[in-house]
Each structure stands twice: as C-alpha cells, then as structure tokens.
C-alpha cells in the first residue's frame, strides 16, 4: 500500500467543520491528500478549528471546481454511499474495499469519493466509480456523519497498511498500465457517438445503455493498450458509416 497515491475527495461539502474533521481523521490514520470539489463554505475558521493538529492536511488540500478535475489522473475510483444499493454496481463493505484500495495504491492513483451531507453522491457521480463502498450500519439509520465515514475508511486503510505490498496487487501482475479516468471518459464519449452513428443508440430514448456499458468496462478495468484498440475500432466503424453515407448521397451508379 502507498498512502501517497490515495486521495480523499469531498464533493460539495456544506459544513466547513466537516472538512476540518476529515483532515483530522485522515492525519490520524496516515493519509495526507485531500481534494475539495466546490466546497460551499471554504476556507473557514471552523474548518481550521476542527482540524486541530491536522492543519497541514487542510493547508495542502487542493480545491477544484469539478469532480472530473479531481480524478482525471486516477486509475481506480471508489464511491462511498450510505444506501446499500442506490444503483446496481459492484459493492463492498469498508474492510473488503480497503483491501482493494490498498492493493491498487501500490502502483495506481486512487480516489475515494465522499458525498454531500444532505444527499450524498449523485447517480452520475457514482457511475464514474469502479467500485462502491458501503459502511454497514443499523438498518434504522444508515447515514453517518461525513467525517466519521472518512474516519472508518481511513482506519480500515491503516489496518491494511501493515500488509505491505500485497501479492494480490492487480497492477503488479499486469504488463500495461490501467487506463486513467480521463481516457475512460473520452472513450465513453467516443463510444456513445459511434453507437449513435450506427443507430444502435437512439439519443431520444437512450434507456440505460451507457450506464450498463460503463458498468461493464469499469468491472473489467481496461489497460491503456486495450483502450487504444477499442478506440481504433470505433474510429474505423465511424469511417465505414461515413463512407456509406457518402455513397448514398452520390446515388447508386453515377
Ligand atoms: N443522505 C445521504 C447521506 C450523506 S452522508 C445519502 O443518503 O446518501 C455524507 C457522506 O458520508 C456520504 O455521501 C458518504 O460519502 C458518506 N457516508 C455516510 N454514511 C455512509 C455509509 N453508511 N457508508 C458509506 N459512506 C457513508
């Protein structure tokens, strides 16, 4: 495990006190990289006050306007959610998920996303993730305070850090780097375009097609080479469609 490759990403946090609480939870467990996506009230005295001796984590926090910017160089993204099955996606509890995060972090950039205090992460944000993490709770009340949720995940990561360089590290057993989120997003745009060109996808009635395809590809985890092959196939497919259209407009035998 390499904690330097793990970033905690807070999306649209409302209460600055929670941001300070997160910084403290992180530092207690040996994590330092905090990214704030469009925080509602930050910087703030309250955040500093709650961070106590983790003020350095807060000072070095990176503030970005969009989630894309927070994760574009990551190869592995985990979304946390209080509700167990918001959308059907691979889902693990904090302990099992920490094992996956720890192993990925030896060679990849990893982000763990935490949502808004009032409504968590949106379905679109959850769909960007490779994996979902849920902290098991009592059924009657499943929503933890944001900083406490970060604390539990950070603690589970701390427990994993004892088992350094786990032999199950996926990237260690793979010869090509896994695709970054930025390249995956470009691929999805290209895929959607091509599926529309060949009329497999009707943009007026897309149903769940793109979500299902996202889930498929994020489960497989493409490497950069495989991604290039798929992009190449899409480009050639689009050329064929274009040629067909050109021929049609030329008329049959001119
Ligand atoms: N009402 C929101 C909960 C927001 S709590 C909802 O239903 O989604 C704020 C954030 O803390 C969540 O977005 C998530 O990142 C984290 N969190 C809270 N409880 C959690 C739990 N049981 N498991 C995983 N993450 C949790």
């Amino acid at each position: 495990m390499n904690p330097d490759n793990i970033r905690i990403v807070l999306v649209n946090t409302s209460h600055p006190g929670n941001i300070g609480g997160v910084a403290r939870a992180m530092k207690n467990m040996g994590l330092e990289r905090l990214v704030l996506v469009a925080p509602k009230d930050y910087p703030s005295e309250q955040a500093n006050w709650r961070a106590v001796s983790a003020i350095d984590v807060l000072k070095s926090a990176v503030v970005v306007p969009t989630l894309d910017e927070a994760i574009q160089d990551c190869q592995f993204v985990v979304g946390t959610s209080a509700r167990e099955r918001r959308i059907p996606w691979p889902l693990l509890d904090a302990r099992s998920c920490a094992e996956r995060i720890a192993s990925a972090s030896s060679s990849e950039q990893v982000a763990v996303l935490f949502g808004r205090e009032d409504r968590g992460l949106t379905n679109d944000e959850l769909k960007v993730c490779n994996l979902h993490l849920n902290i098991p709770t009592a059924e009657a009340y499943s929503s933890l305070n944001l900083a406490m949720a970060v604390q539990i995940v950070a603690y589970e990561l701390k427990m994993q850090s004892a088992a350094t360089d786990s032999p199950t590290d996926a990237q260690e057993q793979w010869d090509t780097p896994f695709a970054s989120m930025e390249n995956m997003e470009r691929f999805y745009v290209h895929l959607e375009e091509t599926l529309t060109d060949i009329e497999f996808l009707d943009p007026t009635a897309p149903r769940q097609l793109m979500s299902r395809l996202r889930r498929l590809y994020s489960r497989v985890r493409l490497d950069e080479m495989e991604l290039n092959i798929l992009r190449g196939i899409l480009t050639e497919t689009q050329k064929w469609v274009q040629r067909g259209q050109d021929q049609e407009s030329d008329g049959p035998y001119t």
Side-chain angles (χ1 to χ4, degrees):
M1 162 162 159
N2 182 357
D4 295 343
N5 287 345
I6 302 175
R7 73 193 71 172
I8 299 294
V9 179
L10 305 184
V11 180
N12 271 172
T13 310
S14 306
H15 302 294
N18 279 335
I19 299 178
V22 166
R24 180 177 187 171
M26 288 173 60
K27 187 157 182 192
N28 283 147
M29 299 297 144
L31 295 175
E32 286 177 0
R33 293 180 60 194
L34 177 60
V35 182
L36 307 172
V37 178
K40 301 228 167 78
D41 177 11
Y42 189 83
S44 146
E45 220 13 78
Q46 246 185 316
N48 298 350
W49 185 72
R50 281 282 299 278
V52 196
S53 297
I55 195 82
D56 53 330
V57 173
L58 217 47
K59 288 259 157 65
S60 59
V62 179
V63 181
V64 292
T66 63
L67 177 60
D68 278 357
E69 278 168 75
I71 60 171
Q72 57 187 4
D73 60 324
C74 291
Q75 288 89 6
F76 193 60
V77 178
V78 172
T80 60
S81 170
R83 275 169 282 166
E84 265 188 33
R85 286 246 168 239
R86 271 254 304 262
I87 53 173
W89 216 260
L91 176 78
L92 292 177
D93 65 30
R95 189 155 302 166
S96 320
C97 204
E99 204 180 317
R100 295 280 300 275
I101 294 170
S103 135
S105 74
S106 331
S107 50
E108 294 166 54
Q109 288 296 322
V110 183
V112 190
L113 317 185
F114 290 84
R116 301 151 186 85
E117 291 91 333
D118 53 347
R119 53 192 188 92
L121 295 165
T122 64
N123 285 348
D124 281 346
E125 288 160 352
L126 285 168
K127 282 181 191 166
V128 170
C129 303
N130 296 99
L131 204 63
H132 290 169
L133 179 158
N134 173 259
I135 300 164
T137 59
E139 246 175 62
Y141 195 15
S142 66
S143 172
L144 276 75
N145 164 267
L146 174 60
M148 297 198 183
V150 173
Q151 183 74 77
I152 286 173
V153 174
Y155 168 74
E156 291 295 345
L157 284 169
K158 179 77 193 145
M159 294 303 283
Q160 291 293 328
S161 69
T164 42
D165 279 3
S166 128
T168 54
D169 177 3
Q171 184 73 78
E172 254 171 40
Q173 295 165 5
W174 208 247
D175 53 352
T176 312
F178 289 124
S180 68
M181 287 299 135
E182 188 179 18
N183 290 338
M184 285 307 295
E185 285 309 316
R186 288 202 187 113
F187 166 66
Y188 290 129
V189 171
H190 197 176
L191 181 63
E192 191 167 2
E193 240 176 56
T194 312
L195 294 177
T196 308
D197 290 351
I198 62 170
E199 295 177 3
F200 186 78
L201 174 71
D202 176 359
T204 60
R207 301 221 184 89
Q208 291 298 313
L209 181 64
M210 288 316 296
S211 293
R212 289 194 186 279
L213 289 171
R214 269 178 179 272
R215 192 173 62 173
L216 165 69
Y217 287 113
S218 66
R219 204 166 68 226
V220 176
R221 301 202 61 202
L222 299 174
D223 67 33
E224 290 289 354
M225 176 96 76
E226 291 160 341
L227 193 68
N228 279 339
I229 296 171
L230 289 175
R231 291 289 300 267
I233 295 173
L234 294 178
T235 304
E236 289 308 311
T237 309
Q238 285 181 312
K239 279 192 204 156
W240 272 86
V241 173
Q242 192 55 49
R243 259 181 245 153
Q245 282 168 355
D246 292 349
Q247 267 170 16
E248 262 172 40
S249 59
D250 287 348
Y253 300 99
T254 46

